[in-house]
Amino acid sequence: MTVSELIQKGDFKVVNEGINLNESVLTPFCCDLLSIAMGRMPAGAAWVTVMGNINTLAVATLTEAACIVLAEGSNIDEAAKSKAKEKGITILKTELPIFDAALIIYRYLHA
């Protein structure tokens, strides 16, 4: 499934549509500790987190995450939103808990 196909499923609101819509989403990844995410997140992950700041974007870029999914109704601050637009990073949003959001992605990938 691509980032674009994940968006088209309609489960997540688009906060920022990036330039990588044709990139494959390979797995969900849940983590709110940036240092752990930086060391363990696989490339192509849909990173489900509540962290909506500029550092989240840096970690997503370093790990080659397919997209960021802000869960639990978390928001991204304005500086990060501006940087996401500049760098073309896809950010999605949901009110769902982290686990439930990741489970939706997992089920799509393994259907």
Side-chain angles (χ1 to χ4, degrees):
M1 172 172 44
T2 65
V3 173
S4 178
E5 290 168 338
L6 178 59
I7 291 169
Q8 291 171 9
K9 297 284 187 185
D11 295 293
F12 306 107
K13 178 184 173 192
V14 177
V15 174
N16 187 68
E17 188 174 288
I19 59 173
N20 64 336
L21 298 179
N22 292 323
E23 185 172 338
S24 292
V25 174
L26 303 176
T27 189
F29 181 82
C30 304
C31 187
D32 290 325
L33 189 57
L34 297 177
S35 60
I36 297 290
M38 192 167 30
R40 296 186 183 170
M41 186 174 2
W47 182 13
V48 186
T49 184
V50 297
M51 301 294 294
N53 60 45
I54 199 95
N55 295 327
T56 305
L57 302 177
V59 171
T61 300
L62 285 170
T63 60
E64 300 178 355
C67 62
I68 298 168
V69 180
L70 296 174
E72 314 261 353
S74 294
N75 292 306
I76 190 160
D77 63 43
E78 286 305 313
K81 189 172 185 180
S82 176
K83 184 60 85 171
K85 287 182 182 186
E86 177 187 323
K87 297 293 185 181
I89 299 170
T90 299
I91 302 174
L92 309 176
K93 179 179 176 175
T94 182
E95 298 294 322
L96 293 171
I98 291 171
F99 177 84
D100 295 345
L103 184 59
I104 287 170
I105 297 165
Y106 180 87
R107 285 182 173 158
Y108 285 143
L109 293 171
H110 297 281

PDB file of all heavy atoms in Angstrom, residues 5 10 12 14 23 25 28 31-32 34 39 50 52 54 58 63 74 81 87-88 92 94 111:
ATOM      1  N   GLU A   5      -2.625   5.588  -1.103  1.00  0.00           N
ATOM      2  CA  GLU A   5      -3.703   4.612  -0.868  1.00  0.00           C
ATOM      3  C   GLU A   5      -4.159   4.634   0.595  1.00  0.00           C
ATOM      4  O   GLU A   5      -5.352   4.496   0.871  1.00  0.00           O
ATOM      5  CB  GLU A   5      -3.235   3.218  -1.269  1.00  0.00           C
ATOM      6  CG  GLU A   5      -3.084   3.058  -2.770  1.00  0.00           C
ATOM      7  CD  GLU A   5      -2.350   1.789  -3.175  1.00  0.00           C
ATOM      8  OE1 GLU A   5      -1.589   1.218  -2.358  1.00  0.00           O
ATOM      9  OE2 GLU A   5      -2.537   1.374  -4.341  1.00  0.00           O
ATOM     10  N   GLY A  10      -9.460   6.866   3.995  1.00  0.00           N
ATOM     11  CA  GLY A  10     -10.320   7.799   4.706  1.00  0.00           C
ATOM     12  C   GLY A  10     -10.316   7.697   6.219  1.00  0.00           C
ATOM     13  O   GLY A  10     -11.122   8.363   6.876  1.00  0.00           O
ATOM     14  N   PHE A  12      -7.797   8.579   8.185  1.00  0.00           N
ATOM     15  CA  PHE A  12      -6.932   9.595   8.762  1.00  0.00           C
ATOM     16  C   PHE A  12      -7.108  10.917   8.024  1.00  0.00           C
ATOM     17  O   PHE A  12      -7.196  10.938   6.798  1.00  0.00           O
ATOM     18  CB  PHE A  12      -5.469   9.156   8.689  1.00  0.00           C
ATOM     19  CG  PHE A  12      -5.230   7.808   9.315  1.00  0.00           C
ATOM     20  CD1 PHE A  12      -4.984   6.688   8.533  1.00  0.00           C
ATOM     21  CD2 PHE A  12      -5.281   7.660  10.687  1.00  0.00           C
ATOM     22  CE1 PHE A  12      -4.776   5.445   9.102  1.00  0.00           C
ATOM     23  CE2 PHE A  12      -5.073   6.414  11.279  1.00  0.00           C
ATOM     24  CZ  PHE A  12      -4.828   5.315  10.487  1.00  0.00           C
ATOM     25  N   VAL A  14      -5.746  14.412   6.598  1.00  0.00           N
ATOM     26  CA  VAL A  14      -4.467  14.899   6.078  1.00  0.00           C
ATOM     27  C   VAL A  14      -4.160  16.254   6.702  1.00  0.00           C
ATOM     28  O   VAL A  14      -4.924  17.201   6.560  1.00  0.00           O
ATOM     29  CB  VAL A  14      -4.494  15.009   4.542  1.00  0.00           C
ATOM     30  CG1 VAL A  14      -3.191  15.585   4.024  1.00  0.00           C
ATOM     31  CG2 VAL A  14      -4.784  13.657   3.909  1.00  0.00           C
ATOM     32  N   GLU A  23       5.219   6.437  -2.206  1.00  0.00           N
ATOM     33  CA  GLU A  23       6.088   5.595  -1.392  1.00  0.00           C
ATOM     34  C   GLU A  23       5.274   4.497  -0.716  1.00  0.00           C
ATOM     35  O   GLU A  23       4.144   4.711  -0.286  1.00  0.00           O
ATOM     36  CB  GLU A  23       6.790   6.441  -0.332  1.00  0.00           C
ATOM     37  CG  GLU A  23       7.802   5.657   0.463  1.00  0.00           C
ATOM     38  CD  GLU A  23       8.633   6.527   1.379  1.00  0.00           C
ATOM     39  OE1 GLU A  23       8.729   7.736   1.129  1.00  0.00           O
ATOM     40  OE2 GLU A  23       9.186   5.981   2.342  1.00  0.00           O
ATOM     41  N   VAL A  25       4.050   2.044   2.151  1.00  0.00           N
ATOM     42  CA  VAL A  25       3.952   1.898   3.599  1.00  0.00           C
ATOM     43  C   VAL A  25       4.172   0.416   3.867  1.00  0.00           C
ATOM     44  O   VAL A  25       3.413  -0.426   3.394  1.00  0.00           O
ATOM     45  CB  VAL A  25       2.570   2.348   4.122  1.00  0.00           C
ATOM     46  CG1 VAL A  25       2.431   2.062   5.609  1.00  0.00           C
ATOM     47  CG2 VAL A  25       2.329   3.821   3.820  1.00  0.00           C
ATOM     48  N   PRO A  28       3.324  -0.394  10.329  1.00  0.00           N
ATOM     49  CA  PRO A  28       3.126   0.678  11.293  1.00  0.00           C
ATOM     50  C   PRO A  28       4.245   0.609  12.335  1.00  0.00           C
ATOM     51  O   PRO A  28       4.831  -0.453  12.558  1.00  0.00           O
ATOM     52  CB  PRO A  28       1.768   0.353  11.923  1.00  0.00           C
ATOM     53  CG  PRO A  28       1.616  -1.117  11.769  1.00  0.00           C
ATOM     54  CD  PRO A  28       2.375  -1.493  10.531  1.00  0.00           C
ATOM     55  N   CYS A  31       5.802   4.684  18.630  1.00  0.00           N
ATOM     56  CA  CYS A  31       6.817   5.083  19.591  1.00  0.00           C
ATOM     57  C   CYS A  31       6.726   6.586  19.798  1.00  0.00           C
ATOM     58  O   CYS A  31       6.577   7.336  18.843  1.00  0.00           O
ATOM     59  CB  CYS A  31       8.211   4.717  19.098  1.00  0.00           C
ATOM     60  SG  CYS A  31       9.488   4.990  20.322  1.00  0.00           S
ATOM     61  N   ASP A  32       6.828   7.012  21.072  1.00  0.00           N
ATOM     62  CA  ASP A  32       6.825   8.432  21.379  1.00  0.00           C
ATOM     63  C   ASP A  32       8.164   8.926  21.909  1.00  0.00           C
ATOM     64  O   ASP A  32       8.320  10.107  22.173  1.00  0.00           O
ATOM     65  CB  ASP A  32       5.733   8.757  22.404  1.00  0.00           C
ATOM     66  CG  ASP A  32       4.350   8.624  21.803  1.00  0.00           C
ATOM     67  OD1 ASP A  32       4.186   8.941  20.615  1.00  0.00           O
ATOM     68  OD2 ASP A  32       3.433   8.201  22.521  1.00  0.00           O
ATOM     69  N   LEU A  34      11.700   9.786  20.945  1.00  0.00           N
ATOM     70  CA  LEU A  34      12.382  10.061  19.682  1.00  0.00           C
ATOM     71  C   LEU A  34      13.679   9.277  19.521  1.00  0.00           C
ATOM     72  O   LEU A  34      13.981   8.803  18.429  1.00  0.00           O
ATOM     73  CB  LEU A  34      12.635  11.564  19.536  1.00  0.00           C
ATOM     74  CG  LEU A  34      11.386  12.436  19.473  1.00  0.00           C
ATOM     75  CD1 LEU A  34      11.768  13.903  19.398  1.00  0.00           C
ATOM     76  CD2 LEU A  34      10.492  12.045  18.313  1.00  0.00           C
ATOM     77  N   GLY A  39      16.444   4.985  16.431  1.00  0.00           N
ATOM     78  CA  GLY A  39      17.273   3.789  16.348  1.00  0.00           C
ATOM     79  C   GLY A  39      16.561   2.539  15.865  1.00  0.00           C
ATOM     80  O   GLY A  39      17.215   1.600  15.410  1.00  0.00           O
ATOM     81  N   VAL A  50       2.286  10.653  19.222  1.00  0.00           N
ATOM     82  CA  VAL A  50       1.598  11.857  19.694  1.00  0.00           C
ATOM     83  C   VAL A  50       2.518  13.069  19.648  1.00  0.00           C
ATOM     84  O   VAL A  50       2.109  14.168  19.994  1.00  0.00           O
ATOM     85  CB  VAL A  50       1.027  11.687  21.132  1.00  0.00           C
ATOM     86  CG1 VAL A  50      -0.028  10.602  21.172  1.00  0.00           C
ATOM     87  CG2 VAL A  50       2.128  11.439  22.140  1.00  0.00           C
ATOM     88  N   GLY A  52       4.177  15.987  18.039  1.00  0.00           N
ATOM     89  CA  GLY A  52       3.948  16.839  16.875  1.00  0.00           C
ATOM     90  C   GLY A  52       4.840  18.060  16.867  1.00  0.00           C
ATOM     91  O   GLY A  52       4.347  19.179  16.928  1.00  0.00           O
ATOM     92  N   ILE A  54       8.989  19.772  15.635  1.00  0.00           N
ATOM     93  CA  ILE A  54      10.028  19.796  14.604  1.00  0.00           C
ATOM     94  C   ILE A  54      10.976  18.607  14.711  1.00  0.00           C
ATOM     95  O   ILE A  54      11.457  18.096  13.707  1.00  0.00           O
ATOM     96  CB  ILE A  54      10.778  21.154  14.630  1.00  0.00           C
ATOM     97  CG1 ILE A  54      11.515  21.385  13.325  1.00  0.00           C
ATOM     98  CG2 ILE A  54      11.704  21.262  15.801  1.00  0.00           C
ATOM     99  CD1 ILE A  54      10.745  22.199  12.359  1.00  0.00           C
ATOM    100  N   ALA A  58      12.429  15.597  11.944  1.00  0.00           N
ATOM    101  CA  ALA A  58      13.833  15.222  11.745  1.00  0.00           C
ATOM    102  C   ALA A  58      14.004  13.709  11.858  1.00  0.00           C
ATOM    103  O   ALA A  58      14.685  13.098  11.025  1.00  0.00           O
ATOM    104  CB  ALA A  58      14.715  15.934  12.763  1.00  0.00           C
ATOM    105  N   THR A  63      14.959   8.367   9.424  1.00  0.00           N
ATOM    106  CA  THR A  63      14.600   6.943   9.370  1.00  0.00           C
ATOM    107  C   THR A  63      13.888   6.559   8.076  1.00  0.00           C
ATOM    108  O   THR A  63      13.571   5.396   7.873  1.00  0.00           O
ATOM    109  CB  THR A  63      13.695   6.570  10.555  1.00  0.00           C
ATOM    110  OG1 THR A  63      12.501   7.359  10.498  1.00  0.00           O
ATOM    111  CG2 THR A  63      14.410   6.781  11.881  1.00  0.00           C
ATOM    112  N   SER A  74      -3.622  14.494  18.768  1.00  0.00           N
ATOM    113  CA  SER A  74      -2.448  15.369  18.855  1.00  0.00           C
ATOM    114  C   SER A  74      -2.382  16.296  17.650  1.00  0.00           C
ATOM    115  O   SER A  74      -2.838  15.951  16.565  1.00  0.00           O
ATOM    116  CB  SER A  74      -1.167  14.540  18.905  1.00  0.00           C
ATOM    117  OG  SER A  74      -1.106  13.799  20.086  1.00  0.00           O
ATOM    118  N   LYS A  81       4.653  22.340  11.194  1.00  0.00           N
ATOM    119  CA  LYS A  81       3.777  22.268  10.021  1.00  0.00           C
ATOM    120  C   LYS A  81       4.411  22.998   8.835  1.00  0.00           C
ATOM    121  O   LYS A  81       4.394  22.506   7.709  1.00  0.00           O
ATOM    122  CB  LYS A  81       2.405  22.858  10.343  1.00  0.00           C
ATOM    123  CG  LYS A  81       1.385  22.629   9.260  1.00  0.00           C
ATOM    124  CD  LYS A  81       0.007  23.054   9.714  1.00  0.00           C
ATOM    125  CE  LYS A  81      -1.021  22.704   8.665  1.00  0.00           C
ATOM    126  NZ  LYS A  81      -2.365  23.097   9.078  1.00  0.00           N
ATOM    127  N   LYS A  87       9.603  20.555   3.456  1.00  0.00           N
ATOM    128  CA  LYS A  87      10.329  19.303   3.188  1.00  0.00           C
ATOM    129  C   LYS A  87       9.480  18.243   2.499  1.00  0.00           C
ATOM    130  O   LYS A  87       9.993  17.199   2.104  1.00  0.00           O
ATOM    131  CB  LYS A  87      10.880  18.723   4.494  1.00  0.00           C
ATOM    132  CG  LYS A  87      11.897  19.614   5.180  1.00  0.00           C
ATOM    133  CD  LYS A  87      13.154  19.726   4.347  1.00  0.00           C
ATOM    134  CE  LYS A  87      14.214  20.520   5.076  1.00  0.00           C
ATOM    135  NZ  LYS A  87      15.432  20.657   4.297  1.00  0.00           N
ATOM    136  N   GLY A  88       8.183  18.474   2.349  1.00  0.00           N
ATOM    137  CA  GLY A  88       7.315  17.529   1.656  1.00  0.00           C
ATOM    138  C   GLY A  88       7.016  16.270   2.451  1.00  0.00           C
ATOM    139  O   GLY A  88       6.884  15.191   1.881  1.00  0.00           O
ATOM    140  N   LEU A  92      -0.476  12.767   8.805  1.00  0.00           N
ATOM    141  CA  LEU A  92      -1.889  12.443   8.946  1.00  0.00           C
ATOM    142  C   LEU A  92      -2.276  12.584  10.410  1.00  0.00           C
ATOM    143  O   LEU A  92      -1.415  12.671  11.275  1.00  0.00           O
ATOM    144  CB  LEU A  92      -2.152  11.018   8.453  1.00  0.00           C
ATOM    145  CG  LEU A  92      -1.603  10.680   7.068  1.00  0.00           C
ATOM    146  CD1 LEU A  92      -1.848   9.224   6.740  1.00  0.00           C
ATOM    147  CD2 LEU A  92      -2.201  11.587   6.018  1.00  0.00           C
ATOM    148  N   THR A  94      -5.427  11.510  13.594  1.00  0.00           N
ATOM    149  CA  THR A  94      -6.617  10.780  14.021  1.00  0.00           C
ATOM    150  C   THR A  94      -6.883  11.039  15.495  1.00  0.00           C
ATOM    151  O   THR A  94      -5.960  11.380  16.246  1.00  0.00           O
ATOM    152  CB  THR A  94      -6.467   9.264  13.773  1.00  0.00           C
ATOM    153  OG1 THR A  94      -7.674   8.606  14.163  1.00  0.00           O
ATOM    154  CG2 THR A  94      -5.290   8.677  14.542  1.00  0.00           C
ATOM    155  N   ALA A 111      -4.309  -7.590   4.748  1.00  0.00           N
ATOM    156  CA  ALA A 111      -5.654  -8.035   4.332  1.00  0.00           C
ATOM    157  C   ALA A 111      -5.556  -8.999   3.165  1.00  0.00           C
ATOM    158  O   ALA A 111      -4.661  -9.006   2.387  1.00  0.00           O
ATOM    159  CB  ALA A 111      -6.515  -6.839   3.966  1.00  0.00           C
TER     160      ALA A 111
END
